[in-house]
Amino acid sequence: WRYHKQQRIWLARWPGVRPEEKTASFERGLYQYFDLANWKRIPGWFRLDYCHLAEKTGVPEDLKTLYTKYSGLLQNINSACSKLIALHGFNAKGSEVLNEIEGIKYMSCIM
């Protein structure tokens, strides 16, 4: 995803689709932009002049390492939280289920 400085939108190439035209200064084709008001991706045809795109930002290596190391734990927490919300709504009931997930106490210490 890249930020378009003039149109003030986030956009990315549509998955699996290559630009119809690509030069040193722009590319044209099917992209997706993120509609913040409706919180969804919307397809659209764009000519993207590279000079109008914000610089790419990288993810620091320590965050990549943390994510890789704890992605399984995060998935378990997400699954447990979804089940708890479905059963009990948004309240504290059921926190004992979360405490049973291996590694969750260590995860809360590093966050």
Side-chain angles (χ1 to χ4, degrees), residues 11-23:
L11 44 75
R13 287 187 187 137
W14 194 259
V17 178
R18 293 179 186 223
E20 290 183 354
E21 182 179 2
K22 187 171 180 172
T23 70

Side-chain angles (χ1 to χ4, degrees), residues 70-84 94-108:
Y70 296 106
S71 63
L73 175 60
L74 292 171
Q75 289 172 355
N76 290 343
I77 292 169
N78 185 42
S79 176
C81 286
S82 296
K83 290 175 188 172
L84 287 172
S95 62
E96 63 277 357
V97 175
L98 290 178
N99 288 329
E100 293 173 6
I101 299 174
E102 177 112 16
I104 194 167
K105 290 179 182 173
Y106 177 73
M107 188 71 174
S108 64

